[in-house]
Amino acid sequence: MTDQDTPRPVRIAVGLWLATAVFVVFTTAGLWFQRGEVQRLTNWSSGQVTSFLATLSGVALVFVAAYVLLTRLFLKRRNWARITLSFVAIAHMVWILFVGISASNLVTLLLICAAIVFTWQARTAQWIAEVREP
């Protein structure tokens, strides 16, 4: 399959899913560099901040791995991967709302919403239906 065989909405969706994964990695890493600020804002001990950041990093890693793996399978025209990507994205959005809204979280939410829109466009569904899974 060449890049020319893949419709533009699919390429955009793939780019948005991967951009979401990369953005999550960078924002999570950025929190580690701002751990002093996190400690100041929360009045938590150093251990509590470390535990919090480790939990956020673990959850972020799960979402990033899911986005990368499922996007790869989506590119192989697996419809179940498209469905699973959407469910993972919804779970990620709920997680973001649970953790709290920040500027970086709003960007993540926008990336996810845009990715879902392109993932479920009619041309994308047609492209997936052209090759049925074995």
Side-chain angles (χ1 to χ4, degrees), residues 20 23-24 67 89-97 100-116:
T20 301
F23 190 75
V24 168
Y67 288 141
I90 290 168
H92 192 183
M93 289 165 57
V94 170
W95 170 256
I96 287 171
L97 295 174
I101 296 297
S102 66
S104 63
N105 283 345
L106 287 175
V107 171
T108 304
L109 288 172
L110 289 172
L111 285 168
I112 290 171
C113 289
I116 288 173

Side-chain angles (χ1 to χ4, degrees), residues 17 62-63 66-67 70-71 74 78-96 109 112-113 115-117 119-120:
W17 287 122
V62 169
F63 284 121
Y67 288 141
L70 292 169
T71 299
F74 171 57
R78 305 291 197 260
N79 192 49
W80 65 266
R82 179 172 74 140
I83 295 165
T84 307
L85 257 173
S86 299
F87 279 113
V88 167
I90 290 168
H92 192 183
M93 289 165 57
V94 170
W95 170 256
I96 287 171
L109 288 172
I112 290 171
C113 289
I116 288 173
V117 167
T119 299
W120 288 96

Side-chain angles (χ1 to χ4, degrees), residues 30-44 49 53:
L31 285 174
W32 283 95
F33 288 107
Q34 297 175 341
R35 66 177 281 123
E37 183 68 13
V38 172
Q39 187 170 2
R40 187 186 67 75
L41 289 171
T42 60
N43 290 324
W44 290 346
V49 171
L53 292 177

Side-chain angles (χ1 to χ4, degrees), residues 47-63:
Q48 288 173 310
V49 171
T50 300
S51 177
F52 174 72
L53 292 177
T55 301
L56 283 180
S57 298
V59 172
L61 182 64
V62 169
F63 284 121

